[in-house]
Amino acid sequence: MKVLSVIIDTDPGVDDFVALMLAKQNPQLKIEGITTVAGNLGSDKVTQNALNIVEFLELEAPVIRGARSPLGHSLESAEAFHGEGGLGGVKLPQSNQKCIEQYAWDFIYEKAVSLKGELEIIALGPLTNLAKALKKYPDLFQHVKTITFMGGSTGRGNRTPFAEFNIWADPLAAQIVFESGIPLKMVGLDVTTKGVLNETNMNKLFEYEHPYKEVVKQLLHFLQQLSKQMGKDTVMLHDALAVASVICPPLLTYTACYGEVEIHDEKYRGQTRIDLEHVTRKQPNVEVAIAVDTPRFIHLLEEMLKY
């Protein structure tokens, strides 16, 4: 089994918590660092949440603070959807650990260079840190193996009818990443809304006597209540699916397309315009996930809680 060196760029966040848990529990991933970005909540809250999660999970990875605001406009967070403290009401002990004294974009570049092209980045929030790294270090594209990001959609949105939240939160940063030349994998709403848990799946997860069992139960019950408020009876784990796709590449089916992000028209702000039919004849710049093996995803979550 090849061990993959990854940086997880994140804005914890309820499903980010599950995603970090999944990453920690899988020996295939070596987490080189966790970089934080303002998104679901403001920078101070997501950074403290990341520090608390790292201590709770006993993760041996540094936390590095990143962007406090998007490129070109002020932060509009999704705090209302993540409960008290941003973790669905889960109260973790306050960590006394500190971030390392470095900006996320500098850490990303230095780690990418030191790993000689073997670094994979998993981005679970707005793409601001990656855009800042690309702007400051134009040669970064030569050193990153791939970026797998949770965001976007070929059709529907979840922040507006047209845009998914992470891309909507910083569309300019997303467009910079789309233009970067780095191999990209988009894990968007096309698959995260299909890789879902139902009541039976969740109850099976709760059968495992694992140290994380009660926290997982709280997180999933919070998401379940949120789904019910929107008239749904299943739970979506957007960010966990992105992590799972790196652990198990066959989990998702991709198609290579040309994609771009709407950055000018406020009505369509953050819309990911994906040329599925290749009508523009432009060179593909992103692999877009279009199908998910949901039973396999659920199996990975079960494995997370077995040991």
Side-chain angles (χ1 to χ4, degrees):
M1 178 182 66
K2 183 180 180 181
V3 176
L4 308 176
S5 293
V6 302
I7 287 175
I8 300 179
D9 191 63
T10 181
D11 57 342
V14 178
D15 54 333
D16 305 71
F17 192 170
V18 181
L20 288 169
M21 196 179 298
L22 182 61
K24 189 264 181 180
Q25 289 295 91
N26 197 287
Q28 192 172 344
L29 300 186
K30 180 185 179 187
I31 304 173
E32 301 285 349
I34 295 170
T35 51
T36 66
V37 61
N40 285 326
L41 304 95
S43 175
D44 290 344
K45 288 185 178 180
V46 297
T47 301
Q48 189 60 56
N49 281 347
L51 290 166
N52 295 346
I53 291 168
V54 163
E55 189 162 302
F56 174 76
L57 296 178
E58 299 181 332
L59 256 172
E60 295 182 4
V63 175
I64 310 91
R65 184 194 290 269
R68 291 180 175 272
S69 61
L71 303 180
H73 60 84
S74 59
L75 175 67
E76 298 176 67
S77 72
E79 192 162 350
F81 295 95
H82 289 270
E84 183 183 354
L87 298 179
V90 172
K91 297 185 183 300
L92 298 179
Q94 187 85 347
S95 173
N96 292 319
Q97 293 184 36
K98 303 295 182 185
C99 296
I100 65 173
E101 294 295 324
Q102 193 174 25
Y103 289 120
W105 40 92
D106 295 324
F107 178 84
I108 289 168
Y109 180 74
E110 291 179 13
K111 188 61 68 172
V113 171
S114 70
L115 289 170
K116 300 178 179 179
E118 289 300 313
L119 175 67
E120 301 196 28
I121 298 173
I122 307 173
L124 306 179
L127 298 174
T128 318
N129 289 336
L130 302 186
K132 282 178 171 281
L134 287 160
K135 286 167 69 73
K136 185 171 182 179
Y137 303 103
D139 64 325
L140 178 63
F141 77 96
Q142 299 175 344
H143 304 290
V144 175
K145 186 173 183 180
T146 188
I147 297 172
T148 298
F149 66 94
M150 190 279 121
S153 168
T154 63
R156 56 171 288 183
N158 65 356
R159 178 55 181 80
T160 73
F162 315 104
E164 179 276 330
F165 173 78
N166 284 341
I167 307 300
W168 175 90
D170 196 342
L172 180 55
Q175 180 60 17
I176 290 170
V177 171
F178 268 72
E179 295 173 346
S180 68
I182 296 172
L184 305 176
K185 292 188 175 182
M186 184 177 108
V187 182
L189 300 180
D190 303 278
V191 289
T192 64
T193 54
K194 297 173 184 172
V196 297
L197 301 176
N198 59 30
E199 187 88 30
T200 301
N201 303 143
M202 286 190 287
N203 288 337
K204 187 173 181 182
L205 288 178
F206 303 153
E207 291 176 1
Y208 299 109
E209 294 301 325
H210 192 278
Y212 303 156
K213 173 183 175 178
E214 290 306 314
V215 167
V216 170
K217 184 181 289 189
Q218 288 182 64
L219 292 169
L220 293 185
H221 280 161
F222 175 84
L223 291 172
Q224 185 180 41
Q225 291 306 309
L226 197 63
S227 291
K228 286 180 178 178
Q229 291 172 22
M230 295 185 287
K232 301 174 183 176
D233 58 2
T234 55
V235 168
M236 293 173 283
L237 293 171
H238 306 279
D239 294 335
L241 183 61
V243 168
S245 73
V246 176
I247 295 169
C248 179
L251 181 64
L252 300 181
T253 302
Y254 295 89
T255 183
C257 302
Y258 173 77
E260 61 186 16
V261 180
E262 175 56 53
I263 59 176
H264 299 296
D265 187 332
E266 186 60 27
K267 178 180 179 180
Y268 296 99
R269 165 185 160 183
Q271 182 181 42
T272 43
R273 293 177 174 163
I274 306 299
D275 184 10
L276 287 172
E277 302 300 326
H278 309 288
V279 295
T280 64
R281 300 186 183 278
K282 291 184 178 180
Q283 185 71 21
N285 60 352
V286 59
E287 289 188 60
V288 177
I290 56 172
V292 55
D293 184 340
T294 299
R296 183 175 281 187
F297 177 48
I298 293 169
H299 176 71
L300 282 173
L301 294 172
E302 290 174 357
E303 292 293 309
M304 175 182 80
L305 292 175
K306 279 185 179 179
Y307 306 106

